[in-house]
Amino acid sequence: MTTATRTARHPSTLATLWRSTVGKKAVMAVTGLAMLLYLVAHMLGNLKVFAGPDDINGYAAWLRTIGQPFLGHEWFLWIARFGLLAAVVLHGVSAYQLSRRDLAARPSKYVHKRRRASYATRTMRWGGVILALFIVWHILDLTTLTVNPAAEHGRPYQNIVASFGQWYSCVIYIVAMLAVGLHIRHGFWSAAQTLGANNARRDRVLKLTANGLALALTVGFLSVPVAVMFGVVK
């Protein structure tokens, strides 16, 4: 028997794990936690807008120099972006495939017996779609500056003020951040269950943590467009 034949008959451990429901849930949990850490860091960076243009513009410039001289200019940012993109794709693909498996395996009469679970599933599903669309808009608005009315590279403060000076940009951002909050609230709890972190004693703490994280991130992210709308940041 050749090596190629043995490989064809015996998939690798990673391939077997990926094809399994447990494996896909584990991928969702790990990538979800990675994205949660990114969101926390991103929110803290965004809040520097309240310290003024010099503070947040300097912070943005510093991000481009992380790892130097070992890494080149902006290398760290691009590594982080590709890592985040991989996490988003793996998370989304896993969610879609698990959703298809769930629909295929669930008898129609069983739907009414899982009303609460179905609500959480729908929230995660539609929240994921909203966030995917928002990511595209956000990149065009504040990364590539394609749709930003100011479009000043290296001046995020001015770009943020210009973006949230448009009512439609605020609406898009607010809807997306509310979806982020709901997604984190349900996702954190699901990830804890998947990774085996929950038990009878920890459930209350985990639920409070999920609610606290969702609220803190939602309020933190929304504070920026609200501050621009009301002239606190200008």
Side-chain angles (χ1 to χ4, degrees):
M1 183 182 295
T2 64
T3 302
T5 303
R6 286 197 301 270
T7 303
R9 291 185 180 182
H10 301 287
S12 68
T13 302
L14 285 177
T16 302
L17 184 65
W18 169 249
R19 292 169 186 168
S20 70
T21 297
V22 172
K24 291 184 188 300
K25 288 183 177 181
V27 168
M28 281 198 70
V30 173
T31 54
L33 290 175
M35 289 187 287
L36 176 60
L37 291 175
Y38 166 79
L39 286 173
V40 171
H42 190 41
M43 181 199 70
L44 293 174
N46 284 0
L47 293 179
K48 288 183 176 291
V49 75
F50 292 102
D54 290 342
D55 202 295
I56 192 168
N57 289 350
Y59 168 71
W62 170 77
L63 286 176
R64 288 163 170 74
T65 65
I66 293 177
Q68 290 184 339
F70 179 73
L71 297 177
H73 187 68
E74 292 193 353
W75 281 23
F76 173 81
L77 271 181
W78 281 107
I79 291 170
R81 285 166 179 165
F82 281 119
L84 185 62
L85 177 62
V88 169
V89 171
L90 286 171
H91 196 81
V93 171
S94 298
Y96 174 77
Q97 292 180 349
L98 284 170
S99 176
R100 299 303 301 174
R101 287 186 182 185
D102 185 52
L103 290 173
R106 185 190 306 168
S108 58
K109 64 180 181 180
Y110 189 54
V111 174
H112 300 291
K113 296 180 182 179
R114 293 186 61 189
R115 185 168 299 172
R116 292 186 65 184
S118 296
Y119 166 75
T121 301
R122 286 196 302 273
T123 300
M124 294 292 285
R125 191 176 297 155
W126 285 108
V129 172
I130 291 170
L131 293 178
L133 294 173
F134 170 72
I135 287 171
V136 175
W137 166 264
H138 196 51
I139 289 172
L140 292 174
D141 184 24
L142 292 173
T143 301
T144 66
L145 305 179
T146 305
V147 299
N148 190 282
E152 297 184 66
H153 288 282
R155 305 187 72 189
Y157 184 93
Q158 289 74 12
N159 296 330
I160 288 170
V161 172
S163 176
F164 294 135
Q166 309 295 318
W167 68 267
Y168 56 84
S169 184
C170 288
V171 170
I172 292 171
Y173 197 85
I174 289 170
V175 170
M177 292 308 103
L178 292 175
V180 164
L182 288 173
H183 207 78
I184 290 171
R185 181 173 178 269
H186 291 305
F188 184 88
W189 175 244
S190 297
Q193 289 180 305
T194 299
L195 297 176
N198 67 308
N199 58 37
R201 290 184 302 174
R202 296 194 196 123
D203 281 357
R204 180 177 175 79
V205 174
L206 287 170
K207 287 178 180 178
L208 287 174
T209 302
N211 291 337
L213 276 171
L215 180 62
L217 285 168
T218 302
V219 172
F221 277 117
L222 289 184
S223 65
V224 177
V226 170
V228 175
M229 288 169 61
F230 287 96
V232 177
V233 173
K234 56 187 177 180

